[in-house]
Amino acid sequence: MATQYAITGATAKGIAASVERGVTEGELAPGDALPPVRRLADELGVSPGTVATAYKELRQRGLVVTRGRGGTVVAEAPSVASRRPPRVPPGLVDLATGLPDPAFLPVLRPPAEVRPAFGSHRAVPRLTALEELTVAWFARSGVPAERVTFAHGALDCIARLLSVELRPGDAVAVEDPGFHHVLDLVPALGLRAVPVTVDREGMVPEALRVALRAGVRAVVVTPRAQCPTGASFSPARRDELVALLREYPEVLVVEDDYTVEIEAPPAPTLAAAGLERWAQVRTVSKRLGVDLRWAGVAGDPVTLARHDGRMVMTSGWVSHILQETVLGLFSDPAVSRLVAAGEAAYTERRLALAGALGSYGIRTVGDSGMNLWVPVRDESAVVNGLRTHGWWVAAGARFRIAAPTAVRITTATLQPAQAERLAADFAAVLGDVQATYGG
């Protein structure tokens, strides 16, 4: 434990609050060890059971983890201080954002007039025109969507679905490597994240089988352009996963289809298979703008009812001003053309860098989306080495639980002409690392 911070408290809640305060204020950093239960109990003059209860509460809330003989330590991404990327040093080309190129995002045009609402929108939370368009949006991909609901983005929806379905301590299968905000969200809800290996075709069935047999109660999965690997379901992989999940009908499957196009071509998804408990979340922030905190959600009747029941008691509805803005963008042919041009550019840029790195014998993963996942032996050495050449990429630690080390490169804004220079610099950095560390 950091010597400059002393845990205080005479009750379990007081001790837990003291540890949380230390984490929030940065006095206890990720990986810092907490004192053994008996030692802290002696120091505070309380029973070991009191300290054990405090540590249990902290574990359930995702602030600490227990590592067997390694003791209890502050989590790598404690729920009160979710992992944020480090600040980009000035003068560097930022390839760590995971965000789209602003050149392919439309100008947002909220309704010109916003008349005062009389009372609450809880009784009619969704604009009829947008609701109908969203139903058709899902239907084009074969997703059963007799009714849909809305949420404030994918993470808001996933958090609500998991919190109404599961209880603290329950296990959730997550992709590994996977979207870092999901990896942070699960423990923040007091749930246990069970890593499931991902390859180029998405979740590996045998790895998911192990998680299901271990008792996970929910699965959070991405059908295409998976972050950070770019994995997308093949029809065969989708069918394997569906057959496996049918053996566990009580498990909730949450599918985050965050890169679906406005006019999406059919793609293999779990949601289209008619599972017992399921929800598919579709967002527009990557295609229409990060300020559009809106998501369309399809799912089985029980799942949607539980989601909406909790939403009624909290935020109530998604702003109708926001809904009108999304509706206008969905209905604009010029926006559809701009999005299509962006998709073509993202593919060209991703392939250009993958090809350039491949010419140096550097293996990459990234068959779709805006990122390349590049396996490396030492993430920090590669990130810092590329920094000296003027590039800023993301260390893979933010996206991993047990997966091998790698770095993530966002190619959304990387012009093809820049790809060769980045690849040459990457190869030089790998050569320097090998010369320094060997192997």
Side-chain angles (χ1 to χ4, degrees), residues 39 47 65 67 79 82 97 135 172 178 180 183 226 230 253 269 350 363 375 379 414 432:
R39 193 178 87 197
S47 73
V65 294
R67 295 177 174 169
S79 57
S82 181
T97 65
V135 168
V172 180
H180 60 290
L183 300 187
Q226 191 262 1
V253 178
T269 66
R350 187 185 68 254
R363 183 173 69 89
E379 295 177 0
L414 183 72
D432 292 340

Side-chain angles (χ1 to χ4, degrees), residues 42-251:
D42 289 342
E43 292 174 359
L44 299 179
V46 299
S47 73
T50 298
V51 176
T53 300
Y55 282 11
K56 179 180 179 181
E57 179 181 339
L58 292 166
R59 282 195 303 273
Q60 290 178 338
R61 294 176 50 219
L63 273 74
V64 303
V65 294
T66 299
R67 295 177 174 169
R69 293 183 179 179
T72 299
V73 302
V74 177
E76 288 300 318
S79 57
V80 294
S82 181
R83 273 177 287 200
R84 290 182 171 85
R87 189 179 301 276
V88 182
L92 300 187
V93 179
D94 186 3
L95 303 177
T97 65
L99 298 175
D101 186 341
F104 298 109
L105 297 177
V107 174
L108 303 184
R109 293 186 172 87
E113 268 192 3
V114 181
R115 296 188 176 278
F118 178 74
S120 168
H121 285 310
R122 279 182 166 81
V124 188
R126 295 175 294 278
L127 295 180
T128 300
L130 183 56
E131 188 172 22
E132 292 173 350
L133 190 152
T134 304
V135 168
W137 190 28
F138 281 104
R140 281 197 296 272
S141 298
V143 176
E146 288 74 16
R147 63 178 296 262
V148 295
T149 191
F150 299 162
H152 301 92
L155 289 170
D156 170 74
C157 178
I158 293 170
R160 191 173 295 110
L161 290 170
L162 295 180
S163 64
V164 298
E165 189 72 26
L166 279 63
R167 295 294 176 263
D170 285 346
V172 180
V174 296
E175 297 164 329
D176 184 25
F179 185 35
H180 60 290
H181 288 307
V182 169
L183 300 187
D184 293 345
L185 174 64
V186 169
L189 295 172
L191 306 171
R192 291 188 295 113
V194 177
V196 177
T197 305
V198 173
D199 65 13
R200 288 182 180 273
E201 296 181 72
M203 275 190 169
V204 174
E206 282 310 308
L208 179 58
R209 183 182 298 278
V210 171
L212 290 167
R213 285 176 173 172
V216 299
R217 294 196 54 205
V219 178
V220 181
V221 63
T222 312
R224 50 183 153 188
Q226 191 262 1
C227 178
T229 69
S232 294
F233 289 159
S234 66
R237 175 60 56 82
R238 188 277 310 272
D239 291 347
E240 285 185 86
L241 294 173
V242 167
L244 175 57
L245 289 165
R246 288 195 192 283
E247 299 176 22
Y248 298 85
E250 73 284 356
V251 171

